[in-house]
């Protein structure tokens, strides 16, 4: 359970209770004196963040129960990105809904006053009428979106964060620093049934004890503002964090964090019996070493050894980051998205990586500046490029900043050319797309164009984007190679499997257009999967699913073997972050054995270092050869021709005889 909240009089408590699966949650409340538990919602949806209004009349919560589907612009799928709203529950049937109408036809809101004790001025006792409670749930009159951080404030109102609908990769907005990606802080006046905006864009906020003020975190700055109206220079108090002094006793902090980590693992590990591990004994065995820890990195190393005793994947530790230095020590190396080589003429652009226009992260800044292969880089920000060390020392700390580059031709003819670019801080997306395009070209060449090629780098947002980037074109080929080598895992293997298990039942023919299969985007022929020892986590899962569903043979090496996954991260008191293996995968055919073992391929194949050095693609050769063999025995689905279309003309009739002469 989570999202615990008490009523203003302290007599009731409410929370969000887990339901079926990982997403369904139910709002419950309980009367503390007799422990009576009441279901506020029935568990059909994802209900969370329940709070009592400060006047004690209402319970409010957030719920993902909107079902207005939005069409996918690429594949025709439908999804529900606008499914969340705040909801309100009058706790007594005698309390009118502020969104209803009075018999006179006016909104009920406007005459609702907080219920307060006449003598103390404090909220009175909360009255809960159980009968019909769930039927009184009503949505706030606000736009469906993504909401979080619902809190009651003074005067019976509520505040919340409304988030813009954005993509999982952050490419929705014009640039990564676009402030529209941050949430908006809104206030809802219940008695007036009116919403207003308090802060346009912020990072986070919290509410003061009396509900009259909010402390807002905005790009590292702190300020206190009114909770019910837009703040101004008179009502806003800026908080100078430089005045905050924080004295820490690191050894005491590490002792506390060690015990905290032990409790978190004990309470969240997927098996209540800890798979037979004497966890208290493990903690006792390593506890003396806590006294010898002298740095955050040493403490993280110790916790890695402790969590290693679980013998389970996804048990990670990240050290607390301290003393990283001022910002100018934390700047990124600038990268040009190109391969440069040293020649007699200087440092020559051997090849500008082509990238992919559908991936905004995969574009070389040199391509955008109009530089071509063969150009010689002579200066960076006016400083000459050293003939030995090259341009990279001059690009140190230049990532995501503007630099000026000077180029000339290899022959030295013609004037020099100066361009201003913004170097990349990470060229891996660019090099990845180049790698995929080369694998695709190899597949086309070795199969004579009969095999499509899909590489799935992970099973998260970027992997789903990559899969859908190419699925329509590659599935149109007679056979398909599905490459999950190096797959970093995630949680969407089910979505990919749903696509791969589609079956062609028929075809849709349109004049002067390519035939479309029904179901659409379905494999036309055999599938062969590629996996290796770096196919991990949900990559293990998708490899197992491909084998168990008999979608096609798996070629390569046994997978990583880590299917006891984590859900979220836990930050300890000293800042160290740990993960806990919280959910384990079990298969009918394998039981629990995929963990620590992996999924074995149907055909073992290994690309040796010598193969790599000599340009041989051993695994791909084997996979493509197998796919072509399967094609010969299992021809692909093909659309019909117009040869046997139905004849819808009138049937041929014999000529009518001439009439008899009179």
């Amino acid at each position: 359970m989570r999202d615990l909240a008490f009523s203003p009089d302290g007599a009731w408590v409410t929370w969000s209770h887990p339901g079926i699966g990982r997403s369904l949650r139910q709002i419950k409340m309980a009367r503390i004196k007799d422990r009576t538990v009441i279901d506020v919602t029935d568990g059909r949806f994802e209900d969370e963040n329940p709070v009592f209004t400060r006047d004690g009349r209402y319970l409010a919560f957030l719920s993902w129960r909107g079902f207005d589907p939005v069409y996918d612009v690429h594949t025709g799928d439908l999804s529900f990105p606008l499914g969340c709203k705040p909801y309100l529950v009058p706790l007594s049937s005698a309390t009118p809904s502020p969104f209803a109408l009075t018999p006179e036809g006016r909104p009920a809101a406007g005459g609702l006053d907080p219920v307060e004790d006449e003598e103390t001025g404090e909220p009175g006792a909360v009255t809960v009428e159980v009968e019909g409670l769930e039927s009184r749930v009503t949505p706030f009159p606000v736009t469906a979106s993504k909401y979080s951080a619902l809190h009651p404030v003074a005067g019976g109102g509520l505040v919340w964060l409304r988030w813009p609908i954005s993509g999982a990769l952050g490419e929705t907005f014009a640039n990564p620093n676009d402030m529209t990606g941050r949430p908006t802080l809104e206030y809802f006046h219940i008695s007036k049934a009116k919403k207003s905006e308090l802060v346009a864009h912020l990072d986070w906020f919290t509410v003061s004890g009396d509900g009259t003020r909010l402390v807002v975190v905005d790009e590292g700055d702190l300020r206190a503002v009114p909770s019910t109206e837009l703040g101004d220079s008179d009502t806003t108090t800026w908080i100078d964090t430089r005045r905050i002094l924080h004295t820490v006793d690191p050894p005491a902090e590490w002792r506390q964090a060690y015990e905290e980590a032990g409790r978190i693992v004990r309470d969240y590990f997927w098996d209540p019996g800890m798979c037979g591990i004497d966890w208290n004994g493990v903690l006792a065995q390593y506890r003396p070493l806590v006294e010898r820890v002298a740095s955050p990195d040493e403490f993280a190393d110790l916790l890695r050894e402790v969590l290693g005793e679980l013998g389970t994947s996804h048990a990670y530790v990240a050290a607390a980051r301290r003393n990283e230095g001022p910002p100018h020590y934390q700047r990124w190396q600038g990268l040009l998205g190109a391969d440069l080589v040293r020649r007699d003429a200087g440092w020559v652009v051997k090849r500008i990586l082509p990238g992919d226009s559908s991936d905004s992260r995969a574009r070389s800044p040199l391509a955008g500046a109009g530089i071509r292969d063969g150009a010689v880089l002579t200066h960076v920000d006016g400083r000459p490029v050293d003939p030995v060390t090259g341009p990279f020392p001059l690009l140190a700390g230049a990532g995501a900043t503007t630099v000026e580059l000077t180029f000339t031709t290899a022959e030295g003819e013609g004037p020099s050319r100066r361009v201003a670019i913004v170097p990349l801080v990470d060229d891996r997306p660019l090099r990845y797309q180049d790698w995929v395009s080369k694998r695709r070209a190899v597949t086309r060449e070795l199969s004579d164009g009969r095999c499509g090629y899909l590489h799935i780098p992970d099973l998260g947002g970027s992997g789903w984007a990559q899969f859908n980037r190419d699925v329509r074109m590659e599935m149109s080929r007679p056979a398909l190679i599905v490459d999950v080598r190096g797959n970093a895992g995630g949680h969407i293997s089910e979505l990919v499997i749903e696509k791969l298990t589609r079956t062609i039942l028929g075809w849709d023919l349109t004049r002067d257009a390519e035939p479309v299969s029904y179901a659409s985007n379905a494999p036309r022929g055999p599938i062969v999967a590629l996996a290796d020892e770096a196919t991990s986590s949900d990559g293990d899962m998708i490899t197992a699913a491909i084998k168990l569903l008999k979608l096609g043979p798996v070629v390569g090496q046994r997978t990583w073997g880590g299917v006891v996954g984590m859900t979220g991260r836990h930050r300890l008191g000293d800042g160290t972050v740990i993960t806990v293996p919280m959910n384990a995968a079990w298969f009918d055919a394998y039981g629990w054995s995929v963990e620590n073992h992996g999924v074995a391929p149907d055909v073992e194949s290994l690309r040796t270092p010598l193969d790599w050095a000599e340009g041989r693609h051993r695994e791909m050769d084997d996979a493509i050869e197998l796919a072509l063999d399967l094609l010969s025995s299992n021809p692909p689905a093909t659309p019909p021709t117009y040869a046997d279309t139905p004849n819808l003309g009138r049937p041929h009739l014999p000529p009518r005889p001439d009439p008899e002469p009179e």
Side-chain angles (χ1 to χ4, degrees), residues 375-399:
V376 180
L377 178 57
T378 61
H379 293 78
V380 176
D381 282 335
R383 295 175 292 173
V385 173
D386 188 279
V388 177
T389 60
F392 299 106
L394 302 178
L395 292 167

Side-chain angles (χ1 to χ4, degrees), residues 204-382:
W204 202 247
F205 76 98
T206 191
V207 184
S208 65
D210 62 0
T212 62
R213 307 280 284 177
L214 307 174
V215 174
V216 173
V217 185
D218 186 359
E219 295 189 306
D221 293 328
L222 287 179
R223 67 181 186 269
V225 298
S227 64
T228 60
E229 60 186 7
L230 204 61
D232 55 27
S233 58
D234 294 329
T235 58
T236 298
T237 302
W238 291 90
I239 302 169
D240 185 1
T241 57
R242 294 174 298 177
R243 297 168 56 196
I244 298 173
L245 299 179
H246 182 204
T247 303
V248 174
D249 177 3
E253 205 172 39
W254 289 321
R255 285 193 291 270
Q256 186 275 338
Y258 183 83
E259 302 304 325
E260 186 181 3
R263 288 194 300 272
I264 290 173
V265 172
R266 178 198 67 194
D267 293 342
Y268 287 102
F269 189 75
W270 71 274
D271 177 22
M274 298 296 296
C275 291
I277 299 168
D278 179 8
W279 187 239
N280 289 331
V282 169
L283 295 175
Q285 177 185 354
Y286 286 92
R287 191 172 283 114
L289 296 178
V290 179
E291 302 303 324
R292 301 176 61 179
V293 168
S295 72
D297 286 325
E298 286 188 1
F299 182 64
D301 284 341
L302 172 60
L303 286 186
R304 291 186 187 107
E305 295 296 325
V306 175
L307 268 64
E309 297 287 348
L310 295 171
T312 305
S313 63
H314 293 82
Y316 302 128
V317 180
R321 297 266 57 90
R322 292 179 179 171
N323 301 322
E324 294 181 336
H328 60 276
Y329 287 154
Q330 301 176 37
R331 291 167 61 184
W332 291 84
Q333 172 72 33
L335 303 171
L336 301 179
D339 294 327
L340 277 71
V341 294
R342 183 184 172 190
R343 296 283 186 263
D344 292 339
W347 283 84
V348 178
V349 178
K350 179 182 178 182
R351 179 171 181 260
I352 296 176
L353 299 174
D356 190 305
S357 61
S358 68
D359 185 348
S360 63
R361 303 166 301 166
R363 180 166 175 79
S364 170
L366 296 187
I371 302 301
R372 297 183 179 181
D373 297 349
V376 180
L377 178 57
T378 61
H379 293 78
V380 176
D381 282 335

Side-chain angles (χ1 to χ4, degrees), residues 100-161:
L101 296 176
T102 65
E104 291 76 22
R106 296 189 299 272
L112 301 179
D113 297 320
V115 179
E116 294 184 350
D117 186 274
E118 294 181 359
E119 296 181 0
T120 64
E122 295 295 323
V126 173
T127 301
V128 178
E129 185 179 333
V130 177
E131 185 177 354
L133 187 63
E134 186 174 338
S135 65
R136 297 196 292 273
V137 173
T138 182
F140 278 71
V142 295
T143 302
S145 183
K146 291 172 62 178
Y147 292 91
S148 69
L150 179 66
H151 289 279
V153 292
L158 296 158
V159 292
W160 56 60
L161 291 178

